[in-house]
Amino acid sequence: MATHRTKMLIIGSGPAGYSAAIYGARAMMEPIVVQGLQPGGQLTITTDVENYPGFADVIQGPWLMEQMQKQAEHVGTKMMWDTIVDVDIAGGSPFRAVGDSGDEYIGDVLVIATGAQAKWLGAPGEQELGGKGVSACATCDGFFYRGKKVAVIGGGNTAVEEALYLTNHSQDVTLIHRRDELRAEKILQERLLKHPNITVQWNKAVSSFEGDPMGAGLTHLALKDTVTGEESTLDVDGAFVAIGHAPATELFKGKLPMDDGGYLLVEPGTPMTSIPGVFACGDVMDHTYRQAVTAAGTGCMAALDAERFLATLDFAEQEAEAAE
Ligand code: NDP
């Protein structure tokens, strides 16, 4: 078990964490990034990315994250393949974190970039059939349903994108949405509604996922009309739950203020949390935009504010020494 000491400790390795690291390293803060269970974050379970500025051609999510990691390392960031399981931040800087490995990490500033994770419906059968027909990532698992019947649950951008993506593999895609109106961007809605291989089941909720976890896996969904209450079934081989995300803030419960959804609260327009020297960036503090580019932007902001915070600390130390 080792102790790792740095000026800038970053927890999380999505676009926010890596961008904070790139800026932090270039400001000589010698960052350490503790990467967590899914190095690279949500983009590593995506395929095509066509909205990250700077690339005329469509790029791949995992490739983009690989580039960000390499760039952060190239300018002087140390990557740790560990998962933080406890933090001690109440006493102010320096902040202490403990990894799953037993290693201890100490940082003069702490940047929280732990991101968010997919939400589940909590309906019967969902967990039991997880990986056996039920998934939260069409881009990861869609391939397994080549030529089969699939459904996507949700009405936001993710659900619509996943339904469209699944048409690469399946000719029978159903989108199940609990209302009669989609939340997704208009351009995506248009693509979805025009697609000959996609059917939308409006005003439907999934009451249960049915099938045999030990045998054939998922066979059908039990549905309930959210307006009339009428029950029906839909035969499917695969169902993709795409109903949004939950921020990864378990570590900070009772330690930092959060909103009702568990997102970390920051001073508006900044990445500053209620504890000076602790910054939050990316999806963990942003339930509105949640884009790779906005996460990267707030990561940059966290590093710039971290630098200012350290300068104030140095100044305070010099003053104290001069007074002795
Ligand atoms: P959203 O929160 O935008 O949408 C979640 C969807 O799931 C909503 O339609 C919601 O229904 C539905 N839903 C939520 N809970 C339940 C439930 N218990 N049962 C049934 N349905 C439920 O999440 P997304 O993941 O789609 O998007 C998150 C953010 O990321 C958004 O800001 C989005 O714009 C962005 N994004 C952008 C992309 C891009 O630009 N390429 C790609 C993917 C995401 P209801 O509408 O009734 O509330």
Side-chain angles (χ1 to χ4, degrees):
M1 279 179 278
T3 296
H4 310 272
R5 176 86 216 228
T6 173
K7 286 185 187 158
M8 187 190 207
L9 177 60
I10 301 169
I11 311 179
S13 57
Y18 285 155
S19 301
I22 292 164
Y23 274 79
R26 297 189 77 251
M28 314 308 276
M29 288 191 276
E30 296 163 350
I32 289 179
V33 171
V34 184
Q35 291 182 294
L37 286 173
Q38 191 182 36
Q42 289 182 80
L43 274 179
T44 58
I45 54 165
T46 309
T47 51
D48 294 356
V49 176
E50 57 180 357
N51 54 10
Y52 197 83
F55 303 95
D57 297 324
V58 175
I59 53 166
Q60 299 297 300
W63 177 85
L64 178 62
M65 297 322 298
E66 222 178 273
Q67 297 304 309
M68 284 195 202
Q69 175 176 338
K70 281 187 188 157
Q71 189 178 355
E73 285 175 318
H74 178 73
V75 289
T77 304
K78 194 169 172 186
M79 297 292 162
M80 301 299 299
W81 200 18
D82 200 354
T83 302
I84 298 299
V85 291
D86 194 18
V87 289
D88 180 4
I89 55 176
S93 175
F95 306 101
R96 186 175 163 273
V98 181
D100 191 34
S101 64
D103 282 10
E104 181 185 47
Y105 301 87
I106 298 174
D108 293 331
V109 297
L110 176 67
V111 174
I112 303 167
T114 47
Q117 278 164 358
K119 277 187 190 166
W120 294 95
L121 287 170
E126 185 178 45
Q127 251 189 6
E128 294 81 347
L129 290 160
K132 298 186 178 77
V134 180
S135 162
C137 178
T139 44
C140 320
D141 301 330
F143 184 77
F144 302 121
Y145 300 94
R146 191 166 279 264
K148 297 191 172 171
K149 286 182 171 191
V150 292
V152 177
I153 300 119
N157 273 356
T158 306
V160 172
E161 280 192 347
E162 297 217 328
L164 288 165
Y165 171 77
L166 284 166
T167 61
N168 293 322
H169 302 299
S170 165
Q171 261 123 52
D172 189 341
V173 179
T174 305
L175 184 88
I176 298 165
H177 184 38
R178 63 183 177 183
R179 293 188 295 137
D180 63 356
E181 195 187 358
L182 297 169
R183 184 183 290 278
E185 286 166 24
K186 289 282 177 272
I187 186 167
L188 289 173
Q189 292 196 27
E190 214 169 279
R191 281 185 210 162
L192 178 105
L193 297 172
K194 273 189 191 158
H195 203 291
N197 297 341
I198 301 178
T199 312
V200 183
Q201 288 238 15
W202 301 105
N203 298 322
K204 295 283 187 300
V206 175
S207 338
S208 63
F209 295 82
E210 303 288 340
D212 177 8
M214 308 307 282
L218 180 74
T219 51
H220 62 281
L221 303 174
L223 304 177
K224 190 168 185 177
D225 193 295
T226 54
V227 178
T228 63
E230 191 187 326
E231 293 179 358
S232 59
T233 58
L234 179 71
D235 289 345
V236 284
D237 303 291
F240 297 88
V241 179
I243 59 164
H245 292 81
T249 50
E250 197 62 33
L251 265 180
F252 306 100
K253 272 196 180 143
K255 297 180 180 177
L256 284 172
M258 298 175 190
D259 69 9
D260 292 344
Y263 287 85
L264 292 181
L265 291 174
V266 290
E267 202 174 298
T270 81
M272 294 179 204
T273 69
S274 60
I275 299 180
V278 178
F279 303 94
C281 52
D283 286 12
V284 78
M285 49 69 92
D286 169 22
H287 51 80
T288 312
Y289 302 104
R290 292 183 281 193
Q291 300 301 298
V293 65
T294 50
T298 54
C300 158
M301 288 158 70
L304 296 178
D305 281 336
E307 204 184 334
R308 287 190 195 110
F309 173 80
L310 284 183
T312 326
L313 266 193
D314 287 348
F315 183 70
E317 270 170 25
Q318 282 164 18
E319 292 266 280
E321 275 169 24
E324 274 170 15

